[in-house]
Amino acid sequence: MRRPWLRGGPKTLSLKAQLYIWLLVPMLALIAASSWLAYASALEMAHTVFDRMLLGSARMIGESIGSEDGQLRAELPPAALENLQTGQSDRVYYRVDAPGEGLLAGASAFPRYEGALATEEWRSFDTHFHGEPLRVLAFAQPVYPFSPSSTVIIQVATTQQGQSALAWHIWLRSVWPQAMLLLAVAALGWFWVRIALAPVTRISAEVRQHRLESSELIAVDHAPPELRPLVRAINDYIARISQFVSERSRFISNAAHQLKTPITVLNTQLTVGLRSGESEQKQRALLGGYQSVQHCSRLIHQLLTLSSTEHALAPPMAPSPVRLVDLAREVLVDLAELAHHKGIDLGLVAGDVAPSVQGVPLLLRELIANLVDNAIRYTPEGGTVTVSLHNDEGGARLEVEDSGPGIPAHERERVFERFYRLAETSGQQGSGLGLSIVREIAMSCGAQVQLRDRPGGIDGLLVRVAFASSH
């Protein structure tokens, strides 16, 4: 069953209040149980005390019974009544019955005891008389000459106001120390809870004062053992936030630097075009401005793709089975004009069985587009770019092969870094983000990216993306 006050929500109690409640509630329950047991014990003790008083009065009445002229006579000694005085206005009843003779003395309306008692035996019990609860004691009193026929039954009874008052008095004397203890715990418990939660308050203050750009961690050794897992989790979160802030700052700085150059070039081209009076020069400036805008647009698109892939800024998309051949055909159609402009032979090689992988179609299409775009841009005019798809035992394999200059083996890991470009390609348009985006997308769908030489030692580059099986 859901407990909102424990799991959070609009009705959540503070941790201090919860600890205070869990401190008092069990103690209150124990004291309540102890009080109930104490009252039962006090009532039993009051029964015992009053039974002894009733027995004493019955014996006094029994000692006053004698035989005169062959008949039994019973008188009520004053001490027998005084023995039962409790100060609570209790009514006292008594009755003396002899076998074969009936009532000797006492209240005839009071019920006769019908049970069997041995000589000197007594029995106490509760009953009601005239609508009042009574405590009754029946006692078998022997009378000279001690024959069975000379045993009389003496009943002495009293109402229970005094007995109840005695039970309450005994109960209160046993309960009031527990009540005082509960009040002391309630008064001091709040301070105990505050002292116990002082480390939590301290950690909370440290987290609240922590600056976003700071990588300083909270001291684990100063925290109680129970809070150390929480402090470690907070420190891990601080480290991840610090890394994110650092990467974000570096990303923004690099993005601004990459955008500054084409925007400056665009501004120069537009300025030249506006100032020139020759239509041919205006046309060249307009064409150059168009190319700069295309470069900026592609750079911004790559920046957004990398940011959303790396930091999950976009809403998550559910992966599904994707046919790579369909995506590859779409990409080649889109880039066919760029390849045709450079006289590059752009081709697709797929086996009889089209490989299928598990992933997000939009991201996988971006992965293929970046690989093919890079290959076209860095392949000289008249070269070749081939996209091939293969089925492997463990999944599918996508390869993009070009006849460009290739990448030296010692640089193949660095080219996956953002904005990193080879020195020999600095004169060509590019942002250094293509392979970074490819690796991020590949990692998101469990694929691996490798850069290899072309088979046979031919100049160029082979990029292989190995996907796991979609089943």
Side-chain angles (χ1 to χ4, degrees):
M1 183 176 66
R2 190 174 187 272
R3 299 185 179 95
W5 57 283
L6 286 178
R7 298 191 180 182
K11 296 183 180 178
T12 301
L13 293 176
S14 66
L15 182 59
K16 187 183 299 183
Q18 291 185 39
L19 289 176
Y20 189 65
I21 289 173
W22 283 114
L23 174 67
L24 290 184
V25 169
M27 191 167 186
L28 185 61
L30 289 175
I31 290 179
S34 175
S35 299
W36 182 82
L37 293 175
Y39 181 74
S41 177
L43 194 60
E44 184 66 27
M45 187 178 297
H47 280 327
T48 302
V49 170
F50 268 73
D51 287 348
R52 293 299 176 184
M53 293 171 58
L54 292 173
L55 180 60
S57 296
R59 290 187 182 277
M60 292 180 188
I61 295 174
E63 291 174 357
S64 68
I65 297 175
S67 176
E68 184 177 345
D69 297 332
Q71 293 183 345
L72 294 176
R73 296 181 178 274
E75 296 181 358
L76 178 64
L81 292 178
E82 293 176 358
N83 186 51
L84 295 176
Q85 289 182 358
T86 62
Q88 296 295 327
S89 302
D90 279 318
R91 293 185 178 85
V92 179
Y93 302 90
Y94 78 99
R95 178 182 177 119
V96 182
D97 293 281
E101 298 187 19
L103 180 66
L104 293 182
S108 58
F110 193 77
R112 180 175 179 173
Y113 183 74
E114 301 296 342
L117 294 174
T119 302
E120 295 284 346
E121 183 183 2
W122 62 274
R123 187 169 300 166
S124 60
F125 55 92
D126 291 324
T127 187
H128 283 78
F129 183 64
H130 291 166
E132 290 183 304
L134 299 180
R135 184 68 176 176
V136 183
L137 183 137
F139 173 66
Q141 172 69 40
V143 181
Y144 288 105
F146 302 108
S147 62
S149 60
S150 63
T151 300
V152 298
I153 303 299
I154 304 171
Q155 293 185 80
V156 183
T158 180
T159 53
Q160 297 187 2
Q161 287 92 337
Q163 180 176 311
S164 299
L166 178 61
W168 275 100
H169 180 72
I170 296 172
W171 178 75
L172 288 175
R173 288 180 65 86
S174 63
V175 164
W176 78 264
Q178 301 179 35
M180 294 300 296
L181 177 62
L182 179 62
L183 291 176
V185 171
L188 298 176
W190 189 256
F191 298 99
W192 294 340
V193 169
R194 291 188 62 180
I195 294 173
L197 291 179
V200 179
T201 305
R202 178 181 57 80
I203 294 172
S204 174
E206 290 186 27
V207 173
R208 191 163 44 248
Q209 296 172 3
H210 193 277
R211 294 178 299 171
L212 185 62
E213 66 276 7
S214 174
S215 60
E216 183 180 356
L217 303 180
I218 300 173
V220 178
D221 297 337
H222 296 165
E226 295 81 2
L227 293 179
R228 288 178 184 176
L230 174 62
V231 175
R232 293 191 185 99
I234 293 175
N235 285 340
D236 180 65
Y237 190 64
I238 290 174
R240 285 187 283 125
I241 289 179
S242 177
Q243 181 181 1
F244 174 79
V245 171
S246 176
E247 291 179 356
R248 185 191 64 175
S249 300
R250 187 167 60 252
F251 181 85
I252 292 174
S253 176
N254 291 334
H257 176 73
Q258 292 294 324
L259 286 171
K260 179 180 179 180
T261 300
I263 290 177
T264 302
V265 172
L266 176 60
N267 181 64
T268 302
Q269 291 167 337
L270 293 177
T271 301
V272 170
L274 289 173
R275 291 179 179 178
S276 176
E278 299 180 6
S279 59
E280 183 178 351
Q281 192 170 6
K282 284 182 178 289
Q283 184 66 23
R284 286 199 304 269
L286 182 61
L287 179 60
Y290 173 76
Q291 293 174 346
S292 297
V293 169
Q294 291 297 313
H295 177 61
C296 288
S297 176
R298 182 173 179 274
L299 177 58
I300 292 172
H301 177 73
Q302 287 184 318
L303 289 172
L304 291 175
T305 301
L306 182 62
S307 179
S308 61
T309 304
E310 190 175 27
H311 301 298
L313 299 179
M317 294 174 283
S320 60
V322 180
R323 283 167 47 91
L324 289 177
V325 65
D326 296 336
L327 296 181
R329 286 193 182 115
E330 292 178 9
V331 170
L332 294 186
V333 170
D334 292 344
L335 297 177
E337 183 178 352
L338 179 61
H340 177 72
H341 181 71
K342 295 183 66 175
I344 292 176
D345 181 13
L346 182 61
L348 172 65
V349 177
D352 296 334
V353 181
S356 178
V357 299
Q358 192 78 9
V360 179
L362 183 63
L363 295 181
L364 290 176
R365 188 182 189 283
E366 192 68 28
L367 179 147
I368 299 174
N370 275 276
L371 288 177
V372 177
D373 183 82
N374 271 6
I376 294 174
R377 289 181 183 277
Y378 295 108
T379 298
E381 294 184 0
T384 61
V385 174
T386 304
V387 179
S388 58
L389 302 170
H390 309 273
N391 276 310
D392 288 340
E393 293 183 2
R397 176 163 42 95
L398 165 70
E399 293 180 345
V400 178
E401 183 178 349
D402 65 66
S403 59
I407 299 176
H410 64 279
E411 295 275 13
R412 289 178 181 173
E413 188 60 32
R414 293 205 62 189
V415 293
F416 287 106
E417 298 177 9
R418 291 174 298 179
F419 304 107
Y420 181 79
R421 301 185 66 193
L422 299 176
E424 53 267 26
T425 63
S426 58
Q428 299 179 4
Q429 273 197 349
S431 62
L433 290 175
L435 289 177
S436 298
I437 294 174
V438 169
R439 171 170 279 187
E440 290 294 335
I441 296 176
M443 291 175 59
S444 70
C445 57
Q448 294 181 346
V449 184
Q450 295 177 334
L451 304 183
R452 298 188 173 191
D453 295 326
R454 295 180 70 188
I458 307 173
D459 290 340
L461 180 68
L462 174 66
V463 182
R464 175 177 294 174
V465 184
F467 296 91
S469 175
S470 62
H471 303 292

